[in-house]
């Protein structure tokens, strides 16, 4: 009886370790966790990846006409098309490769990626999975992108469009009102349409190069920076911070609460907040704007400056007013919209 | 005798209270990672104004791994005009010097520092290299690490935040398949980074700078008088010195880098004993200033204290276990009685005992490696192993304080084979 008890005790003692011992012997999940050793940050990653796969497949296939069956991530049918205008209210089920310019009519649905070697004009109320274009792109009112849009030129987006998870270009990215987005990348990203771009100087409070002072302000937790003041400090506060109209801060600003600026404020450095950031009309932030909450940029705000790349990142959402310019990257995990 | 028994009972209650505090801490972190609001790190920021970076790699007889890390860093996605790499040859008597000189001849931004005089050891080597470095930001890698190309940018971008003094990336073991020790250490690392560090970052508590796969502002460490060479845990010391002076340490879960784990229990025992000795040395030095610091919130001070005590807790637990054994054999275990206490014990045995294991299990889930959870019960071996060697490290730190003896740096043995070197490069 005693021996049986000992055996039972031994079995129960070993039992919890049995699955682990089996795993150690079989090594089913013993590989190191995966790190992409080639990863580099690239805002145009989606389109670059698609273009690379498409180009590789076309090169290996050798011909560029008719209908091809190519191995992109999976086997896809690719229609090679010369300069074309698509009929209205049609639905295209294959990947499309346009060798020249492309104009679509209204209410056209593209269920797979579209690649355009020339310029592209997307008609009203289209739905596209994704668009990569080597020229300029014009998107008319009410069009929806399910994934991404990328251009090697500029992009001009009409009202009430949904730009999917990413809209990127190497030129200007001009977006009209009532559009939604997740990520934008352009030089600059400008809201309110092309007319704003042509009158850019009007909205830029151009003070030339401004030095940045890294020295922290002695006041450890300031509540506000007065209007019309010129501050040569970096401000860090554990509370919310209000910056008055026409103030000039020649340093960085960080608040653990919200940051609210008045109109025509200029900040030479970066602006970081754990709460929301609301930047008043015609203000100019030369550095990056980052918030763990929401970001609201009022009319005529400029982020960054020509020749540099800066970011506007708001975790919970971003609202861009009319005539906002961002030189670089805009990103949110929440909802991005243009009023 | 009665007095002694009362003291033993009081100590047992103290041990239970401490365990409960840490149990709640582990649970809060685990629940935060599973269901809480996640703070995003700055890796999405794109900024053309890059800071100048000096990457320091302390090396003592690192011929097995030196070329691999330099090969990886050469591919870094960072302008070479703004990057310098300083491998620190610290009294090596193998071919490390020749390897470094060969790379320096081929790549002008690799500028080795050969140390043959003065003290040996990581803190003093870092101090010499910081003097030589021209970067605004210092990034440190141990020689056995394999940094991916984007990691420099990922770490550097954090310093756009004017409050950030230092940043810590995530360490991922590369030689997990070798034996049970590496499998178990892999679990510990996963729990420590994926849940513990990230939760502390989410909750704005105290993520810890770990001395490698991380960076800090050069001007800060210079202004604060460089690393203290009498301490073995220069990373923990940097964390607390920065915090007390009003700077934050951030955690970058996406700045991932492969490291090589010890493959022998003897090597691991020396490593963890050294960590315990160094960490406890920092605890003795900084715990009062931490609690008095006006730059930190109450929550930060509390978490900072619990983090500082982390290598003291196994000592409390070990002595608590001995205490309970003594009380058991004295027949004095009846401290509390009643149904509520019974329920409490039941609840603690169901959940409390396993709080750290929930943390590790959650990390495996978040990492998409659920099969590893099967290994959780085997962590009991590591638990007792760590408890013993951490206690010995604690005793070492007490002796350090009493005798004011000089600490000697012992490098962790490397296990990289020629085949692994090839694949790493």
């Amino acid at each position: 009886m005693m021996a049986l008890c000992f055996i039972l005790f031994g079995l129960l003692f070993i039992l919890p370790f049995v699955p682990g011992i089996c795993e150690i012997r079989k090594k089913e999940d013993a590989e190191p966790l995966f790190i992409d050793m080639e990863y580099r940050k690239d805002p145009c990653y989606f389109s670059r990846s698609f273009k690379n796969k498409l180009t590789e497949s076309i090169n290996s296939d050798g011909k560029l006409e008719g209908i091809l069956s190519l191995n992109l991530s999976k086997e896809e049918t690719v229609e090679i098309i010369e300069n074309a205008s698509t009929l209205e209210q049609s639905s295209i089920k294959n990947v499309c490769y346009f060798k020249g310019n492309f104009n679509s009519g209204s209410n056209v649905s593209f269920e797979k990626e579209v690649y355009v070697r020339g310029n592209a004009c997307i008609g009203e109320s289209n739905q596209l999975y994704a668009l990569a274009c080597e020229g300029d792109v014009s998107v008319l009112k009410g069009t929806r992108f399910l994934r991404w849009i990328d251009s090697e030129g500029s992009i001009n987006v009409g009202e009430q469009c949904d730009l999917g998870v990413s809209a990127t270009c190497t030129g200007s990215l001009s977006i009209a009102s009532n559009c939604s987005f997740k990520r934008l990348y352009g030089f600059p990203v400008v809201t309110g349409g092309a007319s704003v771009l042509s009158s850019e100087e009007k909205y830029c409070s151009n003070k030339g190069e401004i030095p940045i002072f890294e020295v922290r302000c002695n006041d450890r937790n300031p509540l506000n920076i007065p209007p019309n003041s010129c501050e040569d400090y970096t401000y860090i506060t554990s509370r919310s911070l209000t910056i008055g109209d026409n103030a000039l801060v020649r340093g960085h600003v960080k608040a653990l609460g919200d940051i609210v600026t008045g109109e025509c404020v200029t900040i030479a450095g970066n602006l970081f907040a754990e709460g929301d950031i609301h930047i008043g009309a015609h203000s100019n932030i030369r550095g990056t704007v980052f918030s763990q909450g929401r970001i609201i940029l009022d009319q005529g705000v400029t982020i960054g400056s020509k020749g540099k790349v800066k970011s506007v990142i708001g975790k919970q959402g971003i609202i861009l007013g009319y005539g906002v310019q961002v030189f670089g990257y805009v990103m949110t995990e929440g909802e991005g919209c243009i009023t | 005798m009665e007095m002694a028994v009362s003291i033993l009972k009081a100590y047992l209650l103290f041990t239970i209270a401490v365990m409960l505090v840490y149990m709640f801490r582990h649970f809060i972190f685990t629940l935060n990672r599973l269901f809480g609001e996640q703070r995003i790190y700055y890796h999405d920021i794109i900024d053309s104004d890059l800071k100048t970076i000096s990457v320091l790699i302390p090396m003592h007889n690192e011929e097995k791994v030196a070329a691999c890390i330099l090969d990886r860093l050469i591919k870094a996605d960072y302008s070479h005009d703004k990057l310098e790499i300083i491998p620190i040859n610290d009294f090596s008597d193998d071919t490390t010097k020749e390897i470094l000189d060969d790379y320096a001849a081929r790549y002008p931004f690799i500028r080795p520092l050969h140390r043959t005089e003065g003290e040996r050891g990581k803190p003093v080597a870092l101090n010499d290299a910081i003097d030589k470095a021209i970067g605004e930001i210092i990034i440190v890698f141990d020689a056995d690490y394999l940094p991916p190309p984007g990691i420099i940018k990922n770490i550097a971008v954090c310093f756009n935040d004017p409050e950030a003094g230092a940043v810590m990336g995530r360490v991922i073991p590369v030689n997990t398949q070798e034996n049970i020790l590496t499998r178990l250490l892999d679990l510990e690392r996963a729990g420590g980074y994926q849940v513990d560090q990230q939760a502390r970052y989410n909750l704005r508590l105290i993520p810890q700078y770990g001395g490698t796969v991380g960076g800090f502002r050069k001007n800060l460490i210079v202004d604060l008088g460089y690393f203290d060479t009498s301490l073995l845990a220069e990373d923990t010391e940097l964390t607390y010195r920065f915090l007390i002076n009003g700077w934050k340490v951030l955690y970058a879960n996406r700045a991932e880098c492969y490291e090589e784990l010890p493959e022998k229990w003897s090597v691991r025992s020396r490593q963890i004993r050294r960590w315990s000795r160094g960490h406890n040395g920092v605890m003795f030095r900084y715990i009062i200033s931490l609690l008095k610091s006006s730059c930190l919130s109450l929550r930060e001070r509390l978490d900072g204290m619990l983090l500082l005590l982390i290598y003291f807790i196994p000592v409390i637990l070990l002595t608590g276990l001995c205490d309970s054994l003594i009380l058991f054999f004295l027949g004095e275990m009846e401290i509390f009685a009643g149904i509520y206490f019974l329920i409490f014990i039941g609840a603690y045995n169901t959940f409390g005992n396993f709080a750290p294991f929930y943390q590790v299990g959650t990390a495996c889930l978040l990492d998409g490696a659920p099969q590893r959870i099967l290994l959780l019960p085997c962590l009991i071996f590591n638990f007792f192993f760590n408890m013993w060697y951490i206690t010995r490290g604690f005793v070492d730190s007490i002796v350090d304080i009493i005798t004011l003896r000089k600490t000697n740096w012992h490098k962790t043995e490397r296990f990289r084979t020629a085949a692994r070197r090839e694949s790493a490069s």
Side-chain angles (χ1 to χ4, degrees), chain A residues 42-63:
Chain A
D42 178 6
C44 307
Y45 171 80
F46 295 123
S47 67
R48 214 178 301 279
S49 167
F50 170 69
K51 283 181 206 169
N52 287 343
K53 282 178 192 161
L54 189 65
T55 312
E56 276 171 28
S57 295
I58 286 172
N59 288 345
S60 64
D61 196 74
K63 62 174 185 177

Side-chain angles (χ1 to χ4, degrees), chain B residues 133-182:
Chain B
I134 53 173
E136 299 160 85
I137 305 298
I138 304 289
I139 293 179
V140 182
F141 288 106
D142 283 350
D144 58 319
Y145 280 58
L146 301 170
I151 198 167
I152 304 285
K153 213 175 249 181
N154 251 346
I155 290 175
V157 77
C158 138
F159 296 98
N160 279 330
D161 179 345
E163 203 183 19
V167 63
M168 179 64 201
R170 182 178 176 186
V171 172
I172 306 264
V174 69
N175 53 338
T176 48
Q177 303 186 59
E178 291 310 310
N179 53 41
I180 186 170
L181 174 63
T182 57

Side-chain angles (χ1 to χ4, degrees), chain A residues 16-43 183 185 212 214 216 220 234-237 252-254 256 270-272 274 286-292 307-311 313-316 328-329 331 333, chain B residues 37-49 51 72 75-77 146-150 154 159-163 170 172-178 180 183 186 190 201 204 217 245-248 254 256-258 294-295 367-372 374-375 377-378 380-381:
Chain A
F17 302 108
V18 171
I21 292 165
C22 290
E23 166 56 23
I24 287 165
R25 286 173 64 86
K26 287 184 189 167
K27 294 188 174 179
E28 285 184 359
D29 196 5
E31 289 283 323
L33 293 175
F34 176 73
I35 301 177
D36 184 353
M37 295 303 272
E38 300 308 319
Y39 174 80
R40 289 169 165 81
K41 181 147 187 67
D42 178 6
R183 298 187 192 114
Y185 185 68
I212 298 176
E214 306 267 353
R216 289 195 199 179
R220 192 167 282 155
T234 284
Y235 281 85
I236 299 173
T237 174
H252 307 289
V253 177
K254 174 157 188 187
L256 302 194
N270 302 315
L271 195 58
F272 278 69
E274 293 294 317
R286 297 291 176 91
T288 282
V289 179
F290 183 98
S291 161
Q292 299 282 355
K308 292 194 173 183
V309 187
K310 297 292 168 185
S311 300
I313 296 178
K315 185 185 174 225
Q316 293 174 5
Y329 188 51
M331 196 285 282
E333 286 182 0
Chain B
E37 179 82 20
Q38 306 298 305
R39 267 177 91 209
I40 55 172
Y41 175 68
Y42 305 135
H43 58 263
D44 279 313
I45 292 175
I46 302 173
D47 196 318
S48 56
D49 288 332
K51 294 191 187 299
R72 300 295 331 173
K75 295 174 189 164
D77 177 24
L146 301 170
N154 251 346
F159 296 98
N160 279 330
D161 179 345
E163 203 183 19
R170 182 178 176 186
I172 306 264
V174 69
N175 53 338
T176 48
Q177 303 186 59
E178 291 310 310
I180 186 170
R183 299 290 311 264
D186 178 47
Y201 175 69
R204 284 193 62 82
R217 291 179 196 265
N245 285 283
W247 295 88
K248 299 292 179 219
R254 287 276 293 274
E256 297 163 319
C257 184
Y258 283 127
S294 58
C295 297
D367 281 332
Q371 195 81 5
R372 288 168 202 218
L374 298 174
L375 292 167
C378 301
I380 197 81
F381 304 125

Side-chain angles (χ1 to χ4, degrees), chain A residues 23-331:
Chain A
E23 166 56 23
I24 287 165
R25 286 173 64 86
K26 287 184 189 167
K27 294 188 174 179
E28 285 184 359
D29 196 5
E31 289 283 323
L33 293 175
F34 176 73
I35 301 177
D36 184 353
M37 295 303 272
E38 300 308 319
Y39 174 80
R40 289 169 165 81
K41 181 147 187 67
D42 178 6
C44 307
Y45 171 80
F46 295 123
S47 67
R48 214 178 301 279
S49 167
F50 170 69
K51 283 181 206 169
N52 287 343
K53 282 178 192 161
L54 189 65
T55 312
E56 276 171 28
S57 295
I58 286 172
N59 288 345
S60 64
D61 196 74
K63 62 174 185 177
L64 193 54
E65 59 190 26
I67 293 178
L68 307 175
S69 182
L70 298 178
N71 188 11
L72 303 175
S73 294
K74 55 183 184 187
E75 204 66 21
E76 297 277 9
T77 304
V78 180
E79 291 181 39
I80 309 293
I81 306 161
E82 300 290 336
N83 291 355
S85 294
T86 309
L87 292 175
E88 297 197 2
Q89 297 183 351
S90 55
S91 178
I92 318 290
K93 296 198 185 319
N94 298 325
V95 175
C96 295
Y97 185 109
F98 292 95
K99 289 163 90 172
N101 296 332
F102 167 59
N103 292 291
S104 77
S106 60
N107 294 305
V108 185
S109 171
F110 295 87
E111 293 182 17
K112 294 288 170 71
E113 291 90 344
V114 176
Y115 187 83
V116 182
R117 295 289 304 273
N119 299 324
C121 179
I122 309 298
E124 282 189 16
S125 303
N126 279 205
Q127 179 168 298
L128 291 91
Y129 182 75
L131 169 67
C133 180
E134 289 185 17
D136 297 331
V137 178
S138 177
V139 181
L140 301 187
K141 187 178 172 182
T143 289
R144 182 175 179 223
F145 290 87
L146 297 180
R147 295 290 297 157
W148 48 264
I149 168 175
D150 176 77
S151 158
E152 289 174 33
S154 62
I155 299 177
N156 196 342
V157 181
E159 291 181 353
Q160 294 169 13
C161 290
D162 179 350
L163 297 174
V165 293
S166 168
T168 56
C169 62
T170 50
S172 64
L173 170 54
S174 169
I175 313 169
S177 58
N178 296 318
C179 290
S180 61
F181 65 87
K182 292 278 185 195
R183 298 187 192 114
L184 307 171
Y185 185 68
F187 295 93
V189 173
V190 61
T191 63
S195 57
V196 173
L197 204 55
S198 59
S199 59
E200 175 185 320
E201 291 304 319
K202 179 179 157 191
Y203 294 107
C204 281
S205 47
N206 192 356
K207 291 185 166 70
E209 276 293 311
I210 308 173
I212 298 176
F213 291 82
E214 306 267 353
V215 180
R216 289 195 199 179
C217 174
N218 287 332
D219 184 357
R220 192 167 282 155
N221 286 310
L223 283 173
N224 60 67
I225 295 172
N228 303 308
S229 58
C230 176
E231 308 289 342
D232 290 345
Y233 290 108
T234 284
Y235 281 85
I236 299 173
T237 174
S238 61
R239 295 177 279 194
S240 291
L241 181 71
T242 305
I243 303 175
D245 293 348
N246 296 305
L248 168 62
V249 180
R250 303 203 292 184
H252 307 289
V253 177
K254 174 157 188 187
L256 302 194
D258 301 335
I259 295 177
V260 179
T261 82
E263 293 187 3
C264 297
V265 167
T266 302
I267 296 173
N270 302 315
L271 195 58
F272 278 69
E274 293 294 317
D276 297 339
I277 294 178
H278 187 156
I279 299 179
H282 307 296
S283 294
N284 179 201
I285 315 298
R286 297 291 176 91
T288 282
V289 179
F290 183 98
S291 161
Q292 299 282 355
R294 292 192 318 153
I295 294 177
I296 300 170
L297 305 184
D298 282 349
Q299 183 180 353
V301 166
T302 304
I303 309 292
S305 53
K306 269 183 186 165
K308 292 194 173 183
V309 187
K310 297 292 168 185
S311 300
V312 175
I313 296 178
K315 185 185 174 225
Q316 293 174 5
I318 295 177
I319 298 171
L320 305 180
Y322 179 84
V324 166
Q325 284 188 92
V326 178
F327 290 86
Y329 188 51
V330 182
M331 196 285 282

